[in-house]
Amino acid sequence: MSSSHGVLSSLALSLNARAGLAQMRRALAGASGMLALALGAGLGLAGPGIAQEGQIIYPGSMAVTGFSGTTIPGFEEGLPPGVDPVDETFIDTERATLRVFDVSALGGPPSGQVVYTPQPFEVLAGQIGQVFGLAYDDGLRDGLPSGVPDLYAAATSLHGVRIVTPDADDDGRPERERRGAAGATFMEGQFGVENGGGPGSIWRVDGITGQVTLFADIEANSGYGHE
């Protein structure tokens, strides 16, 4: 997925200004990986997940999730003979798993056309891991309507679950495991474990500042936040 441009199709989600947390959770459970903000004039969002000046979400914004991709450290220098590249493939933590695009200038009604957008606001896999389900809240701040909702993203196993065990060959990297093993942990960039996340995590992106924080963990969930 391109870091700044792509073919976008739109999906509108009507938000109830009085919606509470329970409604937001239902929306997360059923949301797709693309969420358009279609609200009345005067609504805006802002902030840096990757630093960006000005607001990031407002009427015409679209939040999109996707797999951040993979990387093979040291691939340019070549792998040792007999080494399977898959065993040295890791989640790319420096690429985005959540982007917010400005699609307010479609050039006409949505019809599957190519849309060239400004540089999107991005949240990296190294921050929150892989996410899929999306929802906005009602924009209440200190009990008062602000017109600036926050964005929520749920952990996912949609792109697979990758695990590792401690470095055993002294190459400075953990060992990727293809099936369960004693001492295995989630690969960095899978669920944002490094930032306190896990399989049931829901992350919040502040609509004003863009600050990314862990909102909740669904401990009673039988699987991942959104499968």
Side-chain angles (χ1 to χ4, degrees), residues 62-82:
M62 178 178 288
V64 181
T65 62
F67 182 52
S68 62
T70 59
T71 183
I72 302 178
F75 181 77
E76 294 77 9
E77 291 76 26
L79 297 175

Side-chain angles (χ1 to χ4, degrees), residues 104-198:
S104 59
L106 295 178
S111 59
Q113 69 269 42
V114 175
V115 178
Y116 296 96
T117 69
Q119 184 71 18
F121 171 87
E122 297 184 334
V123 183
L124 305 182
Q127 295 175 271
I128 61 175
Q130 308 303 313
V131 294
F132 184 68
L134 295 172
Y136 295 108
D137 65 15
D138 54 15
L140 288 178
R141 296 176 186 273
D142 298 324
L144 298 174
S146 69
V148 185
D150 293 331
L151 174 64
Y152 299 80
T156 186
S157 61
L158 178 69
H159 310 297
V161 177
R162 296 159 180 82
I163 59 174
V164 295
T165 50
D167 184 7
D169 55 8
D170 297 323
D171 63 356
R173 298 187 293 273
E175 308 304 324
R176 177 172 179 171
E177 302 294 341
R178 305 192 186 200
R179 53 183 59 85
T185 57
F186 293 119
M187 183 181 290
E188 185 177 356
Q190 179 70 56
F191 293 125
V193 174
E194 311 79 41
N195 295 318

